[in-house]
Amino acid sequence: MLTTDAEAAPVAAVVASQFAGGYAGISLGYAFGGDDDVGVRGGGLSGTETIGSLEAGGTLGGLQLGYRWDLDPVLIGLEIGVTGGDLSDSFDNSDGAAETELQHEVSLRGSLGWELNAETLLYGFVGVSQAEFDYEVSGPDGADIDESFSPTGYLAGLGAEWALGENWSLRGEYRYTNYGKETLSDNAGHKTEATPKFHLVSLGLNYRF
């Protein structure tokens, strides 16, 4: 019996990535490495006096909503996230006192991923983040700075995600966020420069629509 070429050469099925499409999830992580040296200048001071260092850290939780496009062999994605929790630090010594606390942050990031296998996705990401911080400094020459500010910064990181079934996946990430430098002052002309930044390691659970 004769067969046509179409019958003799079956077409291979195209398997869609388990990680493509829209998703929503939650995450929980630990932030560390704030590294903000606190100095005071202006007023009656002849220069900048360093009074201590803030090493902000703590537990952060978040919500994420995103979409990935399968461009075989890679996936590209966009994700918006909201993060809050207990990222803070303070000190009080003979030179002065200071305190910083993150109220919340909102981020938008793009990602580029590659499937190691059908159940494992490796990816990197970069993006922008806007946060709100409370910041207080008291120190030499009667400095008394107490402000809330909302800086915009950048973030970058790496992650891995593992499929747990048809719709669920678990991910682990490392992220670095830097909000640059913000000048804060009091009514007497004293100034300080806040430099909020931190590292974050986290675990997340996603549900794909």
Side-chain angles (χ1 to χ4, degrees):
M1 180 177 177
L2 297 177
T3 60
T4 65
D5 290 343
E7 292 173 330
V11 177
V14 177
V15 179
S17 168
Q18 291 198 69
F19 301 100
Y23 63 90
I26 59 174
S27 60
L28 182 66
Y30 184 76
F32 60 95
D35 192 24
D36 182 0
D37 291 329
V38 180
V40 179
R41 58 185 171 85
L45 301 173
S46 59
T48 299
E49 294 193 22
T50 300
I51 62 174
S53 181
L54 292 168
E55 301 286 343
T59 303
L60 292 177
L63 302 173
Q64 60 264 7
L65 179 67
Y67 194 94
R68 292 193 185 105
W69 292 266
D70 187 0
L71 303 181
D72 188 25
V74 300
L75 287 88
I76 62 171
L78 285 175
E79 180 180 297
I80 185 170
V82 180
T83 305
D86 181 24
L87 176 66
S88 61
D89 193 27
S90 63
F91 67 80
D92 188 350
N93 58 38
S94 58
D95 296 319
E99 181 177 0
T100 183
E101 182 178 6
L102 172 70
Q103 295 301 313
H104 63 267
E105 66 166 2
V106 178
S107 62
L108 177 65
R109 71 190 204 186
S111 65
L112 178 64
W114 176 68
E115 286 185 290
L116 185 62
N117 52 52
E119 291 77 33
T120 306
L121 175 70
L122 305 178
Y123 60 92
F125 58 88
V126 294
V128 295
S129 177
Q130 185 173 48
E132 182 177 349
F133 288 89
D134 291 336
Y135 204 86
E136 298 181 25
V137 175
S138 59
D141 192 43
D144 186 13
I145 301 168
D146 186 353
E147 283 195 45
S148 294
F149 64 104
S150 301
T152 298
Y154 69 89
L155 60 86
L158 298 170
E161 192 162 342
W162 301 271
L164 300 178
E166 184 177 352
N167 296 99
W168 293 95
S169 60
L170 176 71
R171 77 182 191 185
E173 289 188 348
Y174 162 77
R175 167 162 69 100
Y176 174 70
T177 307
N178 190 314
Y179 290 101
K181 185 181 297 184
E182 188 86 8
T183 300
L184 310 175
S185 61
D186 63 11
N187 293 330
H190 300 102
K191 296 181 179 181
T192 190
E193 291 181 337
T195 57
K197 54 184 174 290
F198 60 88
H199 305 263
L200 175 68
V201 289
S202 66
L203 287 175
L205 186 65
N206 285 337
Y207 178 82
R208 185 168 64 86
F209 307 133

